[in-house]
Amino acid sequence: MQIDKNCDRKLSEFINGDDLDFYEEYTINLSDKEQQEFFTDNPDFMQGFPISRNKIYLLRDPIFRGILRKIKEHVGGKEQC
């Protein structure tokens, strides 16, 4: 069944993804206020990336997100399961 394989793949990507992947998939389109609330309610979110909480608006820029990924890969390497 193609649907089940697709769901399994999406679940696996969700579980194994990092905070930046989650941000791009689920929180990028929230309003500024909703994003602030999300970051306040989840203080460990994006902890592995060099970004200040008062600069989260920068996460909407795809170039900035790409730079964050490169920094994380260079400094800590990608986590493997």
Side-chain angles (χ1 to χ4, degrees):
M1 297 181 98
Q2 184 64 26
I3 295 174
D4 290 340
K5 287 182 181 181
N6 189 35
C7 288
D8 288 345
R9 180 186 56 78
K10 284 187 158 191
L11 178 61
S12 176
E13 288 174 359
F14 175 76
I15 291 170
N16 295 319
D18 63 17
D19 286 352
L20 196 51
D21 295 332
F22 183 86
Y23 178 83
E24 288 179 328
E25 186 71 25
Y26 298 100
T27 59
I28 195 168
N29 294 317
L30 296 176
S31 70
D32 289 339
K33 182 180 179 195
E34 291 170 323
Q35 280 194 26
Q36 283 287 354
E37 290 172 358
F38 178 82
F39 275 78
T40 299
D41 293 343
N42 301 282
D44 293 336
F45 188 69
M46 296 294 289
Q47 186 175 357
F49 293 92
I51 184 166
S52 171
R53 296 260 177 210
N54 60 351
K55 303 282 188 199
I56 60 173
Y57 63 89
L58 291 172
L59 291 173
R60 291 197 171 134
D61 184 338
I63 294 172
F64 183 78
R65 291 192 309 272
I67 292 169
L68 285 178
R69 278 198 172 87
K70 288 185 184 294
I71 291 170
K72 184 173 182 186
E73 288 174 11
H74 178 73
V75 171
K78 284 197 137 193
E79 293 182 68
Q80 300 292 323
C81 286

